[in-house]
Amino acid sequence: MKMAMGPRPSATPKVVEPLTRRKAWKALQAHYEGVRGLHLRGLFAEDPKRGERLTAEAAGIFLDYSKNRITDETVKLLIQLAEESGLRAQIDAMFRGDKINFTENRAVLHVALRAPKGTSILADCENVVPQVHAVLDKMTQFSNRVRSGEWKGHTGKRLRNVINIGIGGSDLGPVMAYEALKHYSDRTMTFRFVSNVDSTDFAEAVRDLDAAETLFIISSKTFTTLETMTNAYSARRWSLAGLGGNEESVAKHFVAVSTNAAEVAKFGIDTANMFGFWDWVGGRYSMDSAIGLSTMLAIGPENFRAMLDGFHQMDEHFRTAPFEQNLPVLMGLLSIWYNDFFSAQTVAVLPYEQYLKRFPAYLQQLTMESNGKHVTIDGADVTYATGPIYWGEPGTNGQHSFYQLIHQGTRLIPCDFIAFVEPLNPLGRQHDMLLANVFAQTEALAFGKTPEQVKAEGTPDSLVPHRVFEGNRPSNTILAARLTPETVGKLVALYEHSVFTQGAIWQINSFDQWGVELGKALAQRIIPELESDGEPSLSHDSSTNSLIRRYRKTRETS
Ligand code: F6P
């Protein structure tokens, strides 16, 4: 891959044509009126090959999107919408290093984190791929030294425990990847993740650990985040207390992952033990940067690089495949179809793979921090719904809790089922049982059970309505051979680019997150009000004032 052109300057972009005035948008509105009443039963009955036709495959990821409430015309119009929205040009702008995150004057180049050696991607006219590989090499050396026991703690003991301290993108990706790839991890080591400023998180993470065997990775892009810095100082105190208070021990037990060398040095971590990344990597797009150091320590450098290769394969597919066969584009367009035409408010992500138990939580930040926006790139209020709520649980557990609402409730909840052909821990017939549940659920959601079928089972008339399944509940099925580091990379990139597709069409900036700032600033104002010795003079609203007073009063008496 060669990107010859330099980045475009960051100017406030203009919406050339509002989304709702696009021809394809209007055509989709009219089309929706015609197809909203169609049932998947009918769509499958009239096209026996539908289940084979409405599928796409790339880089070993198979997507069956036939159980969606769409016709060929829907797909055609959605792709037309992508084209009218200039999706191809927007993809090219991202890969070219244009500062498409214009509110922060930044390029968006997580794709460079997984670009192979020897390729070129420019940020501010500089090829960043060599820098990426220099950091990867440094991570590799460090990981090998820790994993082999060559890197010892202050007392000479081998480091067996790794605690990543970070929050948001500096936590959710590492946690998800560690859980997803536990099968490939070094089981002689213990990995824990501390994110919450709630002291229980830290206390529980260290309660049974020996400081002499414990390495802390302080992961923070900015190195100023309240939660992370508070936990980092608690870790420093805990570590020093366990190591006889010798400040020199910090160099052996603390490393940092950050873009902010000055703050890292201020904390007392030698910047030689800092793994850098760059402002063109958004927090929620950073699990494959040095933020993934804990992942590399757990699964080893080779597996980490296999994961990066998986990411890259999906990047190349997204960049080059025609939209009709482009997995992230198809998934993004389907999300828009339900969100904006069917007024669906959520998407359920249902991995039938225990190791992916944290994948929905990871996706929540990726999708909602990216596309939870109410203004277009030129600052006008959007007149349509943006980012749906992503949520989910691994199957089959979800089936015994919230699936009732998906099957028989009043809301339309499009679902993504994710499954693998080969189990990582085969046990008797259990994997067939697991996969039977995936196929059964998508079938039940799509086709349901008619009153006639229910009656034919001998159900008393009074119970028939309760036992009817309307069906016509849409789902995607994502199937891959086996959960490997490479597959995890592909899956994450699939959703990253689906998010990009949605944001590009909604004409929003998917790469800033100003919505998290107000709460942070108010908390900083309230902290001294909670801590002051004398009664603070409060000037919040009456609810906040009285909550603060109640907290202070109750604390005094408890
Ligand atoms: O929640 C806001 C946010 O800025 C996220 O985007 C980011 O992932 C998280 O905070 C952590 O930030 P940092 O890595 O700078 O500590």
Side-chain angles (χ1 to χ4, degrees):
M1 178 188 15
K2 271 262 177 229
M3 301 289 156
M5 289 172 66
R8 300 264 166 84
S10 152
T12 304
K14 281 262 161 292
V15 167
V16 182
E17 185 179 32
L19 174 58
T20 53
R21 286 211 219 122
R22 293 198 187 286
K23 256 172 76 186
W25 184 273
K26 289 186 186 155
L28 277 161
Q29 278 177 321
H31 172 73
Y32 167 72
E33 293 305 327
V35 298
R36 55 188 285 211
L38 298 182
H39 199 290
L40 283 165
R41 283 183 208 127
L43 291 169
F44 271 85
E46 73 197 26
D47 175 6
K49 292 236 179 282
R50 181 182 170 95
E52 288 153 50
R53 234 166 29 76
L54 297 186
T55 62
E57 189 166 8
I61 304 280
F62 178 76
L63 169 68
D64 176 349
Y65 61 98
S66 63
K67 293 192 184 93
N68 279 293
R69 292 172 65 172
I70 54 172
T71 64
D72 289 349
E73 180 68 6
T74 322
V75 178
K76 200 183 105 201
L77 290 174
L78 286 169
I79 286 171
Q80 196 181 315
L81 180 66
E83 275 157 5
E84 284 177 23
S85 302
L87 177 61
R88 179 68 66 200
Q90 297 199 57
I91 295 171
D92 290 345
M94 171 171 71
F95 277 81
R96 191 170 52 221
D98 286 10
K99 295 192 170 173
I100 57 173
N101 178 5
F102 65 94
T103 59
E104 296 181 305
N105 195 28
R106 288 176 185 166
V108 173
L109 277 180
H110 43 278
V111 292
L113 297 170
R114 49 266 191 155
K117 243 185 189 146
T119 55
S120 168
I121 297 184
L122 302 178
D124 280 328
C125 300
E126 196 186 345
N127 180 11
V128 296
V129 178
Q131 302 170 32
V132 166
H133 282 272
V135 173
L136 274 174
D137 291 344
K138 185 172 169 180
M139 290 165 66
T140 301
Q141 275 174 16
F142 177 72
S143 298
N144 285 338
R145 289 183 69 195
V146 173
R147 284 165 63 86
S148 68
E150 184 197 328
W151 179 293
K152 296 204 179 348
H154 181 65
T155 64
K157 278 192 175 175
R158 184 176 172 180
L159 295 178
R160 294 183 184 281
N161 315 313
V162 176
I163 302 189
N164 184 77
I165 296 183
I167 197 163
S170 301
D171 167 71
L172 289 161
V175 176
M176 182 278 287
Y178 170 67
E179 292 294 342
L181 298 172
K182 208 180 214 169
H183 184 76
Y184 302 89
S185 70
D186 180 343
R187 302 299 182 124
T188 66
M189 296 177 76
T190 297
F191 288 84
R192 294 197 180 147
F193 300 84
V194 174
S195 53
N196 200 334
V197 77
D198 181 338
S199 45
T200 296
D201 204 10
F202 180 77
E204 284 293 336
V206 296
R207 61 181 292 279
D208 55 349
L209 299 187
D210 175 1
E213 297 185 333
T214 304
L215 172 74
F216 289 95
I217 306 175
I218 313 300
S219 296
S220 174
K221 183 175 169 181
T222 54
F223 228 73
T224 57
T225 304
L226 171 87
E227 293 88 339
T228 301
M229 296 326 297
T230 306
N231 279 318
Y233 280 106
S234 295
R236 202 172 188 280
R237 279 190 296 276
W238 178 85
S239 181
L240 282 172
L243 293 167
N246 189 334
E247 292 275 341
E248 279 174 21
S249 65
V250 172
K252 290 282 175 204
H253 293 267
F254 283 79
V255 296
V257 180
S258 187
T259 57
N260 190 345
E263 286 297 324
V264 169
K266 239 202 246 163
F267 179 83
I269 295 179
D270 185 346
T271 46
N273 295 338
M274 168 179 156
F275 300 83
F277 61 116
W278 306 271
D279 73 355
W280 41 261
V281 184
R284 53 194 175 275
Y285 297 88
S286 67
M287 61 166 277
D288 46 339
S289 70
I291 288 290
L293 185 61
S294 58
T295 315
M296 191 187 270
L297 282 162
I299 64 174
E302 250 178 60
N303 278 324
F304 192 84
R305 284 174 197 262
M307 182 180 81
L308 295 184
D309 182 49
F311 270 103
H312 180 66
Q313 288 178 50
M314 190 53 74
D315 292 344
E316 282 303 279
H317 167 70
F318 179 55
R319 192 172 70 84
T320 59
F323 292 163
E324 297 76 13
Q325 290 148 30
N326 196 310
L327 267 54
V329 171
L330 288 168
M331 284 182 61
L333 289 172
L334 285 166
S335 179
I336 288 175
W337 176 235
Y338 292 119
N339 189 64
D340 295 313
F341 296 92
F342 282 85
S343 302
Q345 303 208 340
T346 82
V347 176
V349 181
L350 310 164
Y352 278 65
E353 168 53 71
Q354 186 63 19
Y355 285 124
L356 288 184
K357 66 181 181 198
R358 296 288 290 171
F359 192 57
Y362 169 76
L363 285 185
Q364 285 179 353
Q365 188 198 12
L366 176 66
T367 58
M368 297 199 266
E369 205 171 71
S370 296
N371 284 341
K373 308 287 162 67
H374 78 294
V375 293
T376 60
I377 48 173
D378 55 5
D381 282 344
V382 295
T383 55
Y384 40 84
T386 60
I389 299 155
Y390 277 73
W391 58 286
E393 276 289 318
T396 55
N397 298 8
Q399 289 174 210
H400 295 271
S401 67
F402 54 80
Y403 277 39
Q404 164 65 37
L405 184 146
I406 306 181
H407 282 288
Q408 284 191 318
T410 54
R411 294 170 199 282
L412 181 77
I413 302 183
C415 301
D416 289 350
F417 287 82
I418 303 173
F420 300 89
V421 174
E422 289 171 45
L424 292 177
N425 297 293
L427 201 55
R429 300 163 53 222
Q430 285 193 218
H431 196 65
D432 286 342
M433 289 180 186
L434 179 71
L435 270 281
N437 273 282
V438 177
F439 305 142
Q441 288 299 327
T442 68
E443 188 177 9
L445 286 168
F447 302 103
K449 205 181 209 185
T450 62
E452 294 68 38
Q453 288 170 316
V454 177
K455 272 186 210 150
E457 287 170 351
T459 308
D461 282 355
S462 63
L463 289 184
V464 169
H466 300 277
R467 300 185 65 163
V468 164
F469 288 68
E470 284 173 354
N472 221 12
R473 265 71 167 161
S475 67
N476 289 316
T477 304
I478 297 167
L479 207 55
R482 186 179 162 89
L483 182 67
T484 62
E486 203 182 303
T487 324
V488 167
K490 291 172 192 173
L491 266 182
V492 173
L494 171 64
Y495 278 93
E496 283 177 349
H497 298 320
S498 164
V499 164
F500 181 94
T501 300
Q502 294 169 56
I505 291 173
W506 285 323
Q507 304 177 322
I508 58 179
N509 180 1
S510 301
F511 300 103
D512 60 11
Q513 57 285 315
W514 299 106
V516 302
E517 296 303 326
L518 179 59
K520 280 190 200 172
L522 288 178
Q524 289 295 357
R525 182 176 149 203
I526 293 173
I527 290 169
E529 295 172 344
L530 301 185
E531 290 180 340
S532 71
D533 290 335
E535 199 58 35
S537 96
L538 300 175
S539 54
H540 304 274
D541 59 277
S542 60
S543 160
T544 311
N545 284 345
S546 98
L547 286 167
I548 291 172
R549 285 192 193 109
R550 190 180 181 84
Y551 172 74
R552 286 181 60 99
K553 200 159 161 230
T554 317
R555 188 181 53 187
E556 272 161 32
T557 53
S558 63

